[in-house]
């Protein structure tokens, strides 16, 4: 036994069938209405025509005079036939009050009794009826002939129903042609519309479209990357949950233009760009996102598809990796330098200059131990302490001295668990890196200075770390050239840098991490002319601000 499976008709096919039936029903209904209206109009015209002829004959003096003669038929028959021929009606019958005919289209019927109703006419009324007489079914009018106050005769004028039907059939032919043309035109229009619909729906039926919509919605909610679709007017046509989270938008953003969303200017520019964007890194208030855009083309600019990837964690890990790499290089360099100094000490001992060897070794140990003791004694937070020691080693390699301010003090456990150590590394690490860059450019810029040179060059970075008033205060000042007033507002913007392209992300990440923890970051001129950045992070949540002074 062979099983047959009937495939569901496509949505376009279903609509075409429904529209074709609808057009056919409308055309048929209009045709029926026109036919009924035409027949009623034809009957009304026939009634008016025969009524006019009957009343004209009843009021004619010729008819009244002929009735007074001994042989009325001799005058009335030719006269009635002329009227019938002139008006195009089927018959004109003139009779006496006893219904005996004086005229008839068939002369053989003259003198016979009229077939039909005459009672209303004998009462003086003019009436219309449809009656079957000698000529078949007819629409007839019967009216009295008066001679003074007396009714001396009756006139009946009529038109056969067959003649009315013939007129209606003639009209129906033209109506049928018009209805056929309307049906063909409607069918053609329906076919053209549904052919376009079929192209847009790819021949799928309603069930398949519904299933695709369900898959589409499930996919949008399941995809972890942000997906954003813009129409030709750069309005948001669609955005998934991840996209709203990455951009900080709400459901009300659908239908709004991109430039009305208060996004960062570089990100807005990337979304509005007509050309594709590939793996561009942009910053929002608290995230690092990678943006890819692809225009939707097809003869016209139909919109743009945008994908968003969250690189906040990756960027933070990258920063930590850079710091670790720097620490490793610094330790390697220190190990190499320590080996050289150890060889120097050994050589001095072999030369018998023990006192000079002890003095040389002690001086180097004191310089390294002073900062270590200061950091360990003032900063009990292990992440910050390790960061400061590592950055001090890096700064020393670049000829910059990193010192911890005397009033610095952070007890162990003072920082809440909600404050991510990674954010502290991002904030303080980037500020120190920028300060070291600025101080080294303003100093010797060469190899690490000897102990006797350090005081003279004074390429210095001062770090303050303390808790006061329910806030964590981090301040980094340098002896560099400072930042001009014109750049004060732009310093935290992604891409701002004095070191060429490919950099300028550090301070933007600082602002982002500060914002994420509800703090503030300010820029001032330092005590010795360089830049001084001050970060205040509430130990309890607070509204984020970014300020410049």
């Amino acid at each position: 036994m062979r099983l047959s499976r009937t495939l569901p008709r496509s949505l376009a096919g279903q609509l075409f069938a429904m529209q074709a039936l609808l057009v056919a029903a409308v055309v048929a209904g209009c045709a029926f209405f026109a036919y009924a209206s035409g027949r009623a109009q034809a009957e009304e015209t026939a009634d008016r025509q025969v009524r006019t002829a009957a009343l004209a004959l009843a009021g004619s003096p010729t008819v009244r005079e002929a009735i007074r003669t001994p042989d009325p038929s001799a005058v009335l028959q030719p006269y009635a036939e002329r009227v019938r021929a002139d008006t195009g009606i089927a018959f004109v019958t003139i009779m006496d009050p006893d219904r005996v005919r004086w005229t008839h289209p068939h002369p053989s019927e003259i003198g016979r009794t009229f077939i039909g109703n005459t009672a209303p006419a004998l009462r003086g009324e003019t009436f219309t009826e449809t009656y079957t007489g000698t000529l078949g079914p007819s629409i007839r009018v019967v009216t009295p002939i008066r001679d003074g106050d007396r009714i001396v005769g009756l006139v009946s004028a009529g038109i056969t129903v067959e003649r009315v039907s013939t007129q209606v059939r003639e009209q129906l032919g033209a109506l049928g042609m018009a209805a056929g043309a309307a049906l063909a035109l409607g069918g053609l229009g329906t076919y053209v519309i549904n052919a376009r619909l079929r192209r847009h729906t790819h021949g799928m039926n309603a069930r398949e479209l519904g299933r695709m919509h369900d898959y589409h919605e499930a996919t949008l909610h399941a995809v972890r990357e942000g997906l954003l679709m813009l129409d030709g007017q750069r309005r948001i046509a669609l955005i998934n949950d991840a996209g709203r989270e990455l951009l900080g938008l709400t459901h009300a953003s659908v239908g709004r233009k991109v430039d009305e969303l208060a996004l960062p200017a570089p990100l807005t520019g990337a979304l509005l760009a007509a050309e594709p964007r590939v793996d561009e890194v942009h910053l929002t208030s608290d995230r690092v996102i990678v943006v890819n855009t692809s225009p939707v083309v097809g003869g016209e600019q139909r919109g743009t598809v945008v994908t968003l990837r969250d690189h906040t964690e990756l960027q933070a890990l990258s920063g930590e990796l850079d710091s670790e790499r720097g620490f490793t290089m610094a330790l390697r360099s220190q190990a190499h330098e320590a080996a050289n100094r150890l060889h120097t000490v050994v050589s001095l001992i072999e030369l018998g200059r023990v006192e000079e060897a002890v003095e040389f070794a002690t001086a180097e140990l004191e310089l390294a131990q002073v900062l270590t003791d200061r950091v360990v004694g003032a900063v009990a937070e292990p992440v910050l302490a390790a960061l400061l020691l590592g950055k001090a080693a890096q700064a020393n390699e670049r000829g910059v001295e990193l010192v911890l301010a005397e009033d610095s003090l952070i007890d162990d456990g003072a920082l809440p668990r909600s404050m991510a150590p990674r954010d502290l590394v991002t904030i303080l690490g980037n500020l120190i890196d920028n300060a070291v860059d600025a101080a080294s450019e303003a100093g010797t810029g060469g190899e690490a200075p000897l102990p006797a040179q350090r005081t003279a060059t004074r390429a210095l970075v001062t770090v303050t770390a303390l808790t006061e008033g329910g806030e964590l205060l981090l301040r980094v000042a340098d002896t560099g050239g400072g930042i001009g007033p014109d750049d004060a507002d732009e310093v935290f913007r992604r891409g701002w840098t004095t070191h060429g392209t490919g950099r300028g992300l550090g301070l933007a990440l600082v602002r982002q991490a500060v914002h994420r923890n509800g703090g503030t970051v300010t820029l001032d001129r330092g005590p010795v002319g360089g830049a001084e950045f001050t970060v205040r992070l509430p130990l309890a949540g607070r509204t984020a601000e970014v300020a410049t002074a």
Side-chain angles (χ1 to χ4, degrees), residues 468 471-475 514 518-522 534-538:
E468 62 176 12
E471 292 181 326
L472 170 65
L473 184 144
L474 301 174
R475 180 179 291 122
V514 169
T520 63
V521 53
T522 58
T534 302
V535 174
R536 295 181 182 273
L537 300 174

Side-chain angles (χ1 to χ4, degrees), residues 345-360:
V345 171
V346 171
S347 297
L348 288 173
I349 293 175
E350 290 177 349
L351 293 174
R353 308 182 70 168
V354 177
E355 292 183 1
E356 293 181 6
V358 171
E359 182 182 355
F360 181 84

Side-chain angles (χ1 to χ4, degrees), residues 48 94-95 107 130 133 150 215 222 224 243-244 291 316 335 375 392 411 427 430 477 522 527 535 537:
R48 187 167 52 249
I94 304 175
M95 69 196 86
T130 300
R150 294 183 307 114
Y215 291 158
R224 299 303 301 269
R244 279 193 296 270
V291 177
V375 170
D411 294 329
I427 295 170
N430 280 290
T522 58
V535 174
L537 300 174

Side-chain angles (χ1 to χ4, degrees), residues 230-443:
L230 308 178
D231 61 16
Q233 284 72 44
R234 295 301 189 271
R235 293 188 300 256
I236 294 182
L238 181 146
I239 184 170
N240 67 348
D241 298 340
R244 279 193 296 270
E245 181 181 356
L246 290 176
L247 298 180
L249 303 178
T250 63
H251 290 277
S253 59
V254 176
R256 297 179 60 189
K257 291 187 176 181
V258 171
D259 52 9
E260 299 175 354
L261 300 177
L263 298 174
L267 178 56
T268 300
L271 296 180
L272 295 177
E275 67 278 0
R277 299 296 180 95
V278 179
D279 290 340
E280 285 193 0
V281 178
H282 290 272
L283 273 75
T284 63
S285 59
D286 57 357
R287 291 183 183 273
V288 180
I289 58 177
V290 176
V291 177
N292 286 274
T293 68
S294 177
V296 179
V297 295
E300 59 182 3
Q301 181 67 26
R302 296 183 178 178
T304 305
V305 176
V306 182
T307 59
L308 309 169
R309 296 198 307 273
D310 188 0
H311 271 216
T312 306
E313 296 293 327
L314 181 60
Q315 192 64 46
L317 291 173
S318 230
E320 291 182 12
L321 180 60
D322 289 341
S323 296
E324 294 295 335
R325 187 180 291 114
F327 296 157
T328 302
M329 293 178 64
L331 291 173
R332 185 179 300 165
S333 178
Q334 283 187 336
H336 180 71
E337 186 176 356
N340 290 335
R341 290 170 180 169
L342 181 59
H343 288 309
T344 302
V345 171
V346 171
S347 297
L348 288 173
I349 293 175
E350 290 177 349
L351 293 174
R353 308 182 70 168
V354 177
E355 292 183 1
E356 293 181 6
V358 171
E359 182 182 355
F360 181 84
T362 303
E364 291 300 320
L365 288 174
E366 286 178 353
L367 288 173
Q369 192 64 34
V370 167
L371 179 62
T372 301
D373 293 342
R374 179 78 188 99
V375 170
V376 172
V379 181
E381 176 61 38
V383 173
L384 289 181
L387 177 66
L388 288 171
L389 291 175
K391 291 298 182 183
Q394 288 181 278
N396 182 63
E397 291 302 314
R398 300 186 58 182
V400 178
E401 184 178 358
L402 188 148
V403 298
L404 188 64
E406 292 296 329
D407 58 345
S408 296
L409 180 61
I410 299 178
D411 294 329
D412 190 12
L415 302 183
R417 294 184 178 180
S418 59
M419 188 173 293
R422 181 177 296 170
D423 286 343
L424 293 177
V425 172
T426 297
I427 295 170
L428 191 56
N430 280 290
L431 291 179
I432 293 176
D433 287 341
N434 286 342
V436 170
D437 287 342
S440 64
E441 290 173 1

Side-chain angles (χ1 to χ4, degrees), residues 5-153:
R5 178 177 179 267
T6 303
L7 294 176
R9 187 186 296 272
S10 68
L11 178 63
Q14 294 178 16
L15 290 179
F16 176 75
M18 293 172 61
Q19 289 174 338
L21 289 175
L22 180 61
V23 169
V26 170
V27 171
C30 290
F32 177 77
F33 175 78
Y35 170 76
S37 176
R39 186 172 185 87
Q41 185 176 5
E43 292 177 353
E44 182 181 355
T45 301
D47 176 73
R48 187 167 52 249
Q49 185 179 6
V50 296
R51 181 179 289 271
T52 301
L55 291 174
L57 286 170
S60 173
T62 301
V63 173
R64 285 196 295 271
E65 291 177 2
I67 291 175
R68 297 190 189 104
T69 63
D71 187 10
S73 294
V75 176
L76 295 178
Q77 174 67 11
Y79 181 64
E81 287 301 299
R82 284 198 307 271
V83 171
R84 184 177 68 83
D86 292 340
T87 58
I89 60 180
F91 65 90
V92 174
T93 299
I94 304 175
M95 69 196 86
D96 64 15
D98 295 328
R99 300 167 57 187
V100 176
R101 299 188 185 102
W102 286 326
T103 66
H104 195 276
H106 297 160
S108 60
E109 296 292 330
I110 296 175
R112 294 183 179 180
T113 302
F114 173 76
I115 301 174
N117 298 319
T118 59
L122 293 175
R123 293 194 300 268
E125 301 174 7
T126 300
F127 68 96
T128 303
E129 68 174 351
T130 300
Y131 199 87
T132 302
T134 57
L135 300 178
S138 63
I139 300 172
R140 60 179 64 180
V141 172
V142 181
T143 187
I145 302 173
R146 297 176 181 274
D147 189 0
D149 295 333
R150 294 183 307 114
I151 295 177
V152 296

Side-chain angles (χ1 to χ4, degrees), residues 87 193 221 243:
T87 58
I193 294 173
H221 290 289

